[in-house]
Amino acid sequence: MPTSCVIGLLWGDEGKGKIIDLFAAEADWVVRYAGGHNAGHTLVRDGERLVLHLVPSAILRPGVRNVIGNGVVVDPFHLRSEVLGLRERGVDVQLGQNLLVSEAAHVILPVHKALDAMAEERRGAAKIGTTGRGIGPAYADRASRCGVRVGDLLRPESLDASLQRLKSEKDALLEAWGGDPIDADALRRDLLEVGEFLAPAIADTGHLLREAHRSGARVLCEGAQGVLLDVDHGTYPFVTSSSASTGGVAGGTGLPPTALTQVRGVVKAYATRVGSGPFPTELRCDVAHRLREAGREYGSTTGRPRRVGWFDAVAVRYSAQLAGATEVVLTNLDVLSGFRPLQVCVAYDLGGDPERRSENFPAFELDRVRPVFREFQGFDGDLSSVREYSDLPAAARAYVEGLEELIGVPIRTVSVGPGRDQVIAR
Ligand code: IMP
């Protein structure tokens, strides 16, 4: 049985939540391996919209074990309210049964959130546009070896030692930046209390996942953010702070790297980005406004309007290759209905110079490339009820097939709406 991954091929918001929920029908375990509650994965259940931030996207699937892996940074207070919020809406979340959290995952503390805000303010015009949830500072402390881990919440002595280490590293910085020192006693009390709530879910999930894998269980790894937000391979420094690409799967779950045999790359039929950073195919005219409204392109975590642009085949080919995508899921095709003609970026003129045309994705000066577009005719009509590929308008099929050729990976699934059933298998 394959261990698979569903991953976003651009800067997040590709519609992964719905796709993971869909493919979770074939999974026994669904595991988040990177990111934190900066993610916003949207599911639609009986017409009702459910946004998940930390809880994996198979929580609506009875029998699936959802795991928050060790590579995720966990705000335990947020997790508690997300669990309670889901229960209030009738979702059966059973800690230790259908939701597990790695004891080795690092904890996002209030100090991380404060430092995230201070760092952004200090960056001024060069700000990254983070979600403000403390993600970067928590990963930085993990790397600096002064972090607190979820397992500490169950071990008062270990927690004390971790908090003292953190305090001795962070108080000087907080003072220099005009913040308050860490109140270790209050924090200790709050963490032990939330730890009590989460205790049934906290486990050695790496061990459980390896056992499951060895016994032939089907494990689906849930990507958060997208390949171009990966700290190593994304548009640095305008990235998140984790290994969001499939490279993060082994490190962030405890599964062996050889486990992963199937990678589904998810990408919208156009492009979006939230936060700062280069975006070669970005639209700024009236079309941008129409596309944003048609696709309801507002951040599910922060509510910020997303930047929108044409499909960028150079970027998607790069991320599909990097992530090892074995197939592509194309989402939001229905949104493009009525936009005529459609443009697709097929190459970049580096430095804006046609003499330096390239089909490769550069690590530097992406903000200075000029996209080279190929025009597609575009299509009209409501696609949201189409379920057979052959029932799509011919121009929509030509668009899908054109993208597939440019990406170099088969598009096996096309999504035409937010509902679980609004998909076309090819
Ligand atoms: P951080 O992850 O909060 O540090 O934010 C770093 C960058 O990643 C910012 O540009 C965010 O807008 C972006 N980002 C983080 N998480 C997501 C996501 O789930 N979807 C889209 N963008 C994200």
Side-chain angles (χ1 to χ4, degrees), residues 269 311 330 344 376 398-408 411:
F311 192 92
L330 188 72
V344 172
F376 285 75
Y399 185 67
V400 173
E401 286 155 31
L403 298 186
E404 179 174 70
E405 198 187 324
L406 289 163
I407 304 168
I411 297 177

Side-chain angles (χ1 to χ4, degrees), residues 11-14 16 35-41 116 120 128-137 139 224-226 229 237-242 272-277 299-302 304 306-307:
W11 292 282
D13 310 317
E14 295 90 353
K16 295 181 292 293
H37 63 314
N38 50 351
H41 293 172
D116 197 354
E120 278 287 81
I128 291 165
T130 72
T131 57
R133 300 203 157 190
I135 306 292
Y139 277 117
Q225 290 78 51
L229 287 174
F238 300 102
V239 291
T240 191
S241 301
S242 65
T272 63
R273 176 164 203 173
V274 201
S276 323
S300 37
T301 296
T302 57
R304 290 180 286 181
R306 296 180 185 140
R307 300 157 67 194

Side-chain angles (χ1 to χ4, degrees), residues 101-415:
V101 188
S102 167
E103 59 186 4
H106 275 250
V107 174
I108 300 183
L109 299 167
V111 62
H112 295 129
K113 200 172 164 202
L115 287 169
D116 197 354
M118 290 179 204
E120 278 287 81
E121 199 178 327
R122 296 170 68 82
R123 288 181 193 119
K127 73 173 186 200
I128 291 165
T130 72
T131 57
R133 300 203 157 190
I135 306 292
Y139 277 117
D141 282 352
R142 180 179 81 166
S144 297
R145 290 151 297 178
C146 63
V148 172
R149 292 185 295 167
V150 168
D152 286 330
L153 308 188
L154 307 180
R155 298 174 176 83
E157 276 183 25
S158 178
L159 180 63
D160 283 339
S162 299
L163 287 176
Q164 278 320 312
R165 221 171 26 230
L166 183 74
K167 191 170 164 56
S168 71
E169 291 253 347
K170 286 280 139 356
D171 275 1
L173 177 65
L174 286 164
E175 192 186 345
W177 284 8
D180 297 325
I182 295 172
D183 181 346
D185 291 337
L187 192 52
R188 176 184 197 274
R189 194 190 52 233
D190 294 346
L191 288 172
L192 290 175
E193 188 206 323
V194 75
E196 224 170 278
F197 175 85
L198 295 175
I202 300 175
D204 179 354
T205 57
H207 171 73
L208 295 174
L209 288 167
R210 285 189 296 279
E211 287 297 301
H213 173 61
R214 270 157 42 93
S215 67
R218 300 160 304 175
V219 182
L220 191 162
C221 301
E222 169 169 0
Q225 290 78 51
V227 172
L228 296 187
L229 287 174
D230 183 278
V231 67
D232 289 298
H233 301 286
T235 49
Y236 192 88
F238 300 102
V239 291
T240 191
S241 301
S242 65
S243 294
S245 184
T246 41
V249 168
T253 61
L255 284 166
T258 45
L260 197 59
T261 53
Q262 183 183 46
V263 177
R264 290 181 166 114
V266 186
V267 67
K268 276 192 283 220
Y270 48 94
T272 63
R273 176 164 203 173
V274 201
S276 323
F279 183 179
T281 61
E282 183 167 15
L283 284 159
R284 289 191 181 79
C285 49
D286 172 54
V287 186
H289 176 71
R290 279 177 48 218
L291 194 50
R292 183 176 301 113
E293 295 311 311
R296 297 170 301 279
E297 295 295 351
Y298 293 87
S300 37
T301 296
T302 57
R304 290 180 286 181
R306 296 180 185 140
R307 300 157 67 194
V308 297
W310 294 123
F311 192 92
D312 185 342
V314 178
V316 175
R317 189 169 48 236
Y318 162 77
S319 54
Q321 285 177 4
L322 186 82
T326 51
E327 58 187 85
V328 167
V329 178
L330 188 72
T331 57
N332 288 23
L333 183 66
D334 55 306
V335 171
L336 284 186
S337 193
F339 288 84
R340 284 162 167 272
L342 298 169
Q343 308 288 345
V344 172
C345 171
V346 295
Y348 296 150
D349 284 344
L350 303 178
D353 179 358
E355 298 290 316
R356 295 177 57 222
R357 185 155 295 181
S358 170
E359 291 179 1
N360 297 330
F361 192 75
F364 282 86
E365 299 182 25
L366 187 63
D367 53 339
R368 292 181 42 217
V369 302
R370 185 179 306 138
V372 180
F373 287 114
R374 181 186 300 173
E375 197 167 290
F376 285 75
Q377 188 191 341
F379 45 89
D380 296 311
D382 178 10
L383 307 191
S384 63
S385 50
V386 177
R387 298 291 175 270
E388 291 293 329
Y389 185 66
S390 54
D391 291 340
L392 283 173
R397 279 183 275 131
Y399 185 67
V400 173
E401 286 155 31
L403 298 186
E404 179 174 70
E405 198 187 324
L406 289 163
I407 304 168
V409 177
I411 297 177
R412 294 241 188 271
T413 312
V414 178
S415 168

